Amino acid sequence: MASTIHDVAKLAGVNPSTVSRVINGKASISEETKEKIYAAMQQLDYHPNSVARSLASGLSGAIGVVMDAHDANAFSNEFFSRSLFAIEQVAQAKGYNVIIANSAKRMGGVSSIENLMLERKVDGLILPPSTVKPALLKKVDAFPYVVLGQPDIARQGTCWVDVNNEQGSALAVEHLYKQGYCRIAYLGGDGGTGFVKRRIKGYHSALKSNDAPMIFPTDGTTQEAERNTADALRLPQPPDAFLCNDNITAFGALQALKKAGRKVPADIGVAVFDNYPLAMYTDPPLTAVNVDTAMLGEETARLLFQRIERHITNRQTMLSTSLIERESSCRM
Amino acid sequence: MASTIHDVAKLAGVNPSTVSRVINGKASISEETKEKIYAAMQQLDYHPNSVARSLASGLSGAIGVVMDAHDANAFSNEFFSRSLFAIEQVAQAKGYNVIIANSAKRMGGVSSIENLMLERKVDGLILPPSTVKPALLKKVDAFPYVVLGQPDIARQGTCWVDVNNEQGSALAVEHLYKQGYCRIAYLGGDGGTGFVKRRIKGYHSALKSNDAPMIFPTDGTTQEAERNTADALRLPQPPDAFLCNDNITAFGALQALKKAGRKVPADIGVAVFDNYPLAMYTDPPLTAVNVDTAMLGEETARLLFQRIERHITNRQTMLSTSLIERESSCRM
DNA sequence: AATAGCAACGCAAGCGGTTGCATAAATAAA
DNA sequence: TTTATTTATGCAACCGCTTGCGTTGCTATT
């Protein structure tokens, strides 16, 4: 049924290698033969077999995007799926396919990352920071990969693209100061690992020197955010502004503030990391540190392709955030 | 660097075909040779080249999941990404990879769907209902594919898996009646295409015969949901309950009701389609028609593999929904 | 003891492309 | 006109694995 390059060659009266060259735009082929070949391809509805092509060329024509999702929620992580969208776009423009894999699962003792790499299913990998561990690095090292996020393990030569969490926090804190808030707290997060660590660092750095840092970690639920907010308000010197680690946390904070009868933004200011669609629909709408996830995915994919094509060997990119000012923090 | 099946064969002192048979568990090989081969594989850190394997076997070892995302939002669609998680799990258990593709983009006039199929990059496809059109069906017909969702174009032989939207609506309406609401409105949706059509059909069917249907379509924004809710309340005979097409819509409805001073659930009942994480964090928490997206993805993937393995040729599956009763609709 | 049957493995032809090298024809340089 | 170049295409050897068929040696059958 499906025609091969030999069928095309026979119909066009040429050698398969000539057809191959026409398809790949290599060498010089006369216009005359080109046309004969195109006609034959058309007539036979020929589509090159990408598998055979990969075998011969040594390139799979696919990149792998791995995530460490342990449940469906992690998978539906807005941050990830938005980046994925951009990655797919860049890949498609390059004629590449995107294979997704969950690193959490293993087959026969070999992680899906190694599997994609060792069985030559992909030409490059986009990895989450959590998978970047010495054992893997040793195996992946000679393979083109880019980390989407900043890995905790520093290692020269590891390419990564991340949003500037420090700068984002600082941006929000400075904004809150400008709006006249003076006792700014950081609400949510696990207290300080991975990107939360960097956000808190940025929070610290932007705090005025005589202001005491107030950090209230949570387990990520709205409920605990609500509890912690309520507790914070009962402190002798309560915060008058909250920078929230994520939207779910901010949601809890807003509810606690409402129940406590505090007006936002008049009494208390609220800002949040990440501009989820939800953020503009709360009451009041939330000021948010905006992460350009499309750009993030795009940059990551581009960097990966540069590595695949050997144009570059080493680069770390930090994307700046912007602040979307909404009612929750603007009393002026 | 990377070792081949020939290297393994040479080291084990056997023929490559024997190694191949051991790897694939075919034919009868003596324990003795098996062990020699395993030892050689171990020593050389051998990993079969999946591309070569695909070429020889005629199977790509991948399935394609296509979506019709035109922007990042569609991509991050909770419904989709949760199903994707389950699909990837099933595929991984089968030793298959998952290639994602955006149908919106085209390369050289060939859609990404056709590309995946015609260039034999995948052994099967999971398609969104929107892509199921006669032109494509003709080409895809002989190829294993399953639609994730119910296609509008009926065609015998088309396999699909969908959630029972009609039943879901009916479930919610019946619940609202039981809670003593008697003027139930349907809020949101585009008025009646695709799954919205089926949800509205279920709404109609569950409505008591002497109750007039009230349908308020929106453009999907919270703002318009808010406006429409406010308008509805000013009607001579206003609704006393809203079944919302989605969470964003419900969010708007809740805000409108709050502004209008109506108590939920005392005065007005609210239920919503899809149990987003958001639904349990609103004030009050929303009663939601729950769609088991994990099951949806799992069933879809399973059905696809059955088709790939030629075990089945035709099946349509409708998954029932359940109702998660929360405060927004429970006044008893 | 002769034949049949089966287990264990080798041989080699693919699978459908790609690509270095060779060749023939056409053109340019000497 | 002869030789050096360039252009256009063919030849055939891979890429690494699978698989139908064939061979060898050994055990079971009569």
Side-chain angles (χ1 to χ4, degrees):
Chain A
M1 184 65 221
S3 53
T4 73
I5 202 170
H6 294 91
D7 302 330
V8 175
K10 205 193 304 176
L11 183 59
V14 298
N15 189 278
S17 62
T18 306
V19 178
S20 172
R21 291 187 180 107
V22 169
I23 292 174
N24 297 296
K26 303 216 172 176
S28 47
I29 309 285
S30 71
E31 281 307 318
E32 195 186 334
T33 20
K34 270 188 191 172
E35 278 173 26
K36 277 194 301 186
I37 289 173
Y38 284 131
M41 291 191 347
Q42 186 105 34
Q43 190 177 330
L44 295 172
D45 190 28
Y46 169 72
H47 296 269
N49 182 322
S50 64
V51 177
R53 192 198 285 239
S54 293
L55 180 60
S57 69
L59 292 171
S60 75
I63 60 171
V65 178
V66 357
M67 67 220 89
D68 55 344
H70 295 273
D71 57 26
N73 276 327
F75 217 99
S76 65
N77 178 309
E78 196 105 359
F79 183 80
F80 173 77
S81 51
R82 281 177 173 251
S83 301
L84 184 59
F85 177 75
I87 291 169
E88 201 272 345
Q89 283 202 310
V90 174
Q92 188 159 127
K94 283 264 178 190
Y96 266 71
N97 287 114
V98 175
I99 292 182
I100 58 164
N102 190 339
S103 71
K105 290 276 156 45
R106 300 181 150 259
M107 296 176 48
V110 181
S111 79
S112 50
I113 298 176
E114 296 169 42
N115 183 52
L116 288 174
M117 194 178 80
L118 297 171
E119 298 195 352
R120 270 133 289 181
K121 290 180 173 172
V122 298
D123 297 332
L125 285 169
I126 291 178
L127 302 174
S130 60
T131 62
V132 180
K133 292 170 190 154
L136 184 73
L137 279 184
K138 204 175 298 169
K139 297 191 179 183
V140 179
D141 221 28
F143 198 78
Y145 72 100
V146 175
V147 181
L148 177 44
Q150 193 174 342
D152 290 313
I153 299 178
R155 181 194 174 93
Q156 55 188 4
T158 292
C159 287
W160 50 260
V161 178
D162 197 9
V163 58
N164 195 332
N165 283 288
E166 272 191 61
Q167 176 257 351
S169 271
L171 204 58
V173 170
E174 282 158 18
H175 162 79
L176 289 168
Y177 274 129
K178 259 188 221 136
Q179 290 294 320
Y181 302 103
C182 56
R183 297 190 46 77
I184 303 167
Y186 193 94
L187 178 69
D190 59 7
T193 69
F195 66 87
V196 175
K197 189 178 187 172
R198 292 184 280 278
R199 289 183 184 179
I200 288 182
K201 192 169 171 194
Y203 161 76
H204 272 123
S205 74
L207 230 46
K208 291 183 181 162
S209 56
N210 46 345
D211 286 353
M214 291 178 281
I215 296 168
F216 306 96
T218 70
D219 58 6
T221 64
T222 296
Q223 285 82 358
E224 187 160 331
E226 209 175 318
R227 262 196 306 277
N228 287 7
T229 305
D231 290 350
L233 294 177
R234 276 187 232 102
L235 252 38
Q237 301 209 341
D240 65 354
F242 291 90
L243 171 54
C244 303
N245 188 64
D246 56 72
N247 283 247
I248 293 292
T249 300
F251 211 82
L254 285 183
Q255 300 208 350
L257 293 170
K258 192 172 301 174
K259 286 182 188 170
R262 309 299 180 97
K263 299 292 173 207
V264 178
D267 305 337
I268 309 270
V270 178
V272 64
F273 236 100
D274 293 350
N275 179 36
Y276 277 35
L278 167 61
M280 62 186 299
Y281 295 141
T282 53
D283 178 33
L286 288 161
T287 288
V289 175
N290 187 45
V291 174
D292 190 341
T293 46
M295 180 71 82
L296 195 62
E298 201 177 310
E299 278 299 311
T300 308
R302 280 197 202 296
L303 184 52
L304 179 61
F305 281 115
Q306 286 181 352
R307 295 204 76 180
I308 290 175
E309 292 159 4
R310 315 255 165 223
H311 290 329
I312 198 176
T313 52
N314 193 327
R315 188 158 87 205
Q316 289 77 37
T317 303
M318 195 87 102
L319 260 45
S320 290
T321 64
S322 59
L323 193 72
I324 299 183
E325 304 184 8
R326 297 205 184 89
E327 202 186 321
S328 72
S329 69
C330 297
R331 54 184 177 189
M332 302 186 167
Chain B
M1 181 67 219
S3 54
T4 74
I5 201 169
H6 293 92
D7 301 330
V8 175
K10 204 193 305 176
L11 183 58
V14 298
N15 189 279
S17 61
T18 306
V19 178
S20 173
R21 290 188 180 105
V22 168
I23 293 173
N24 296 296
K26 303 214 173 176
S28 47
I29 309 285
S30 70
E31 281 307 318
E32 196 188 335
T33 5
K34 270 188 192 171
E35 279 172 24
K36 275 193 303 186
I37 291 173
Y38 284 132
M41 292 189 347
Q42 188 104 34
Q43 190 178 329
L44 295 172
D45 190 29
Y46 170 72
H47 295 269
N49 181 322
S50 64
V51 176
R53 193 198 285 242
S54 292
L55 180 58
S57 69
L59 292 171
S60 75
I63 60 172
V65 179
V66 358
M67 68 220 89
D68 55 342
H70 295 274
D71 57 27
N73 277 327
F75 217 100
S76 66
N77 178 310
E78 197 104 359
F79 184 80
F80 172 77
S81 51
R82 281 177 173 251
S83 302
L84 184 60
F85 177 74
I87 291 169
E88 201 272 346
Q89 283 201 310
V90 174
Q92 188 158 126
K94 284 263 178 190
Y96 266 72
N97 288 114
V98 176
I99 292 181
I100 58 164
N102 191 340
S103 71
K105 289 275 159 12
R106 301 180 149 261
M107 296 177 47
V110 181
S111 79
S112 50
I113 299 177
E114 296 168 42
N115 185 53
L116 288 175
M117 194 177 80
L118 297 171
E119 298 195 352
R120 270 134 289 179
K121 290 181 174 171
V122 297
D123 297 332
L125 285 168
I126 292 179
L127 302 174
S130 60
T131 61
V132 180
K133 291 170 191 154
L136 183 73
L137 279 182
K138 204 176 297 170
K139 296 192 179 181
V140 178
D141 220 28
F143 198 78
Y145 73 100
V146 175
V147 182
L148 177 45
Q150 193 173 342
D152 290 313
I153 297 177
R155 181 194 174 94
Q156 57 188 4
T158 293
C159 287
W160 51 259
V161 178
D162 198 9
V163 58
N164 195 332
N165 284 288
E166 271 192 61
Q167 176 259 348
S169 272
L171 203 58
V173 170
E174 282 158 18
H175 161 79
L176 291 167
Y177 273 130
K178 260 187 219 131
Q179 291 292 322
Y181 302 103
C182 57
R183 299 189 45 76
I184 303 167
Y186 192 94
L187 178 70
D190 59 6
T193 68
F195 66 87
V196 175
K197 189 179 187 171
R198 291 186 280 277
R199 289 182 183 180
I200 289 182
K201 192 170 171 192
Y203 161 77
H204 272 123
S205 73
L207 231 45
K208 290 182 181 162
S209 56
N210 45 346
D211 285 353
M214 292 178 281
I215 296 169
F216 305 96
T218 72
D219 59 6
T221 63
T222 296
Q223 285 81 357
E224 187 160 331
E226 208 175 319
R227 265 196 304 276
N228 287 6
T229 304
D231 290 349
L233 294 177
R234 278 187 230 101
L235 251 39
Q237 302 210 340
D240 65 354
F242 291 90
L243 171 54
C244 303
N245 188 65
D246 56 71
N247 283 246
I248 293 292
T249 301
F251 211 83
L254 284 183
Q255 301 208 350
L257 292 170
K258 191 173 300 175
K259 286 181 186 170
R262 307 301 180 97
K263 298 294 174 206
V264 178
D267 305 338
I268 309 271
V270 178
V272 64
F273 237 98
D274 294 352
N275 179 36
Y276 276 36
L278 168 62
M280 61 185 302
Y281 295 140
T282 54
D283 178 33
L286 287 163
T287 289
V289 175
N290 186 46
V291 174
D292 189 342
T293 46
M295 178 72 81
L296 195 63
E298 201 177 310
E299 279 298 311
T300 308
R302 280 196 201 298
L303 184 52
L304 179 60
F305 281 115
Q306 287 181 354
R307 294 203 76 179
I308 290 175
E309 291 159 5
R310 314 255 165 225
H311 291 328
I312 200 177
T313 52
N314 192 326
R315 187 158 86 204
Q316 290 77 37
T317 304
M318 195 87 102
L319 261 44
S320 290
T321 64
S322 59
L323 193 73
I324 298 182
E325 304 183 9
R326 297 204 184 90
E327 203 186 321
S328 73
S329 70
C330 296
R331 53 184 178 189
M332 301 188 168

